[in-house]
Amino acid sequence: MSLTSRLRVILRSKSNQALTRIEDPREALDDSYEQQVKSLQQVRLGLAEVATAKKRIELQGQDMGGRYQRLADQAQEALNQGREDLARTALERRSLLEGQVAAIRDQYLVLAQQQAQLQDNERRLAERVAAFRTEKETIKATYAASEARVKANEAASGIGSQLGTVGADLDRAKDRVTQMQARAAATDELLSSGALNDVTAPLDADLERQLSAGATRAAVDRQLQAMKEARATNRGPGPNARGGTDAWLSIGQGPSLP
């Protein structure tokens, strides 16, 4: 494979992988879920900031409330001591403090309303994120199961085609074996008949084989003649017909027939 072809294969593989990731709904669902989680985190961060600001104004208002009460006590004590001027000063400061308290009270109420709205938004968004997460995982599980089925079916289909190829290979092997067996039988016949020379046999082996075959035929003819003569003269089964368990020892060891 040339370098250009190899690069083309690599680029095609990477492109297919990228398309697979884009088409995979699980990644899209995960991305959407992450965006919703980020939005929820932003809402919670804003809620924390509003709650902090409201608490700070609340603490400031509590300090002003304590001072407001102390000024009232000081005005009363000044009157008790006959110091009307000090009582007037305390009441003037108390009156000024009332305006400041009214201003921060308005801010406090606005922040309290914002906090309530953010809490409601956070609750509803958290519920949507939780529901989306449940549905996302269900869809991902369904997709994974379907993908597994597709891969299993494709694998089974591939195995089926491979089995067909294997069957064809077996048929071809059987044909070759049959052809080889026929060829072996044919060469055996040719060797036996002398039509095919055995290059591994010693010189003049064909003459030895023919002489041996002729000797065998002559021996068979003599034995057959002896059996006929024995039957004609009632001499029994003929020579070499020994009995007993060791009769096999005499096979080929008896006197030669005339």
Side-chain angles (χ1 to χ4, degrees):
M1 181 183 293
S2 63
L3 179 60
T4 303
S5 300
R6 191 175 303 169
L7 289 175
R8 188 181 297 112
V9 171
I10 294 174
L11 292 176
R12 186 183 299 113
S13 176
K14 291 184 177 296
S15 177
N16 292 335
Q17 291 177 359
L19 289 175
T20 300
R21 287 195 298 269
I22 293 175
E23 295 174 354
D24 193 341
R26 293 173 295 185
E27 295 191 4
L29 290 172
D30 288 337
D31 292 340
S32 179
Y33 177 72
E34 290 180 1
Q35 293 298 326
Q36 293 187 38
V37 170
K38 289 180 180 179
S39 299
L40 180 60
Q41 291 174 348
Q42 292 177 354
V43 171
R44 287 174 174 174
L45 180 60
L47 177 60
E49 293 177 351
V50 170
T52 300
K54 185 173 79 68
K55 188 63 176 179
R56 185 166 52 247
I57 292 178
E58 181 181 357
L59 294 175
Q60 185 178 359
Q62 291 176 357
D63 290 341
M64 289 182 175
R67 184 187 175 195
Y68 186 80
Q69 185 60 42
R70 287 195 303 273
L71 289 173
D73 294 340
Q74 288 174 352
Q76 184 63 46
E77 181 64 22
L79 286 177
N80 294 337
Q81 294 181 7
R83 297 291 306 271
E84 184 176 345
D85 55 334
L86 292 178
R88 183 180 296 276
T89 300
L91 292 176
E92 289 175 353
R93 293 179 180 179
R94 191 168 184 265
S95 178
L96 181 62
L97 188 59
E98 289 178 357
Q100 296 174 354
V101 170
I104 67 171
R105 182 172 58 246
D106 293 339
Q107 295 180 3
Y108 179 82
L109 295 175
V110 171
L111 291 175
Q113 184 179 4
Q114 291 179 358
Q115 181 179 358
Q117 292 177 350
L118 288 174
Q119 286 176 340
D120 185 61
N121 292 337
E122 188 274 340
R123 178 184 56 78
R124 288 187 285 109
L125 183 57
E127 292 176 353
R128 287 201 302 268
V129 171
F132 180 82
R133 181 179 183 278
T134 301
E135 187 175 5
K136 172 181 72 74
E137 295 301 325
T138 302
I139 294 175
K140 288 175 62 177
T142 303
Y143 182 86
S146 300
E147 184 181 33
R149 288 179 58 193
V150 169
K151 291 182 178 179
N153 292 337
E154 291 177 349
S157 176
I159 291 174
S161 61
Q162 292 176 3
L163 288 178
T165 304
V166 170
D169 293 340
L170 287 175
D171 291 337
R172 286 194 296 270
K174 290 178 180 179
D175 291 339
R176 290 291 295 167
V177 170
T178 302
Q179 293 175 4
M180 191 58 67
Q181 289 176 342
R183 185 175 178 182
T187 53
D188 288 340
E189 293 179 0
L190 291 174
L191 284 172
S192 299
S193 64
L196 185 65
N197 292 328
D198 185 1
V199 296
T200 63
L203 295 176
D204 303 325
D206 56 336
L207 295 177
E208 293 293 339
R209 182 172 60 253
Q210 294 179 22
L211 291 173
S212 176
T216 300
R217 286 194 298 270
V220 170
D221 291 340
R222 287 194 298 269
Q223 292 180 20
L224 182 59
Q225 184 62 32
M227 293 174 64
K228 290 179 179 180
E229 292 176 355
R231 186 179 60 179
T233 59
N234 294 323
R235 290 186 302 174
N240 298 333
R242 296 176 55 186
T245 58
D246 58 349
W248 63 274
L249 296 173
S250 64
I251 296 176
Q253 302 296 324
S256 299
L257 293 174

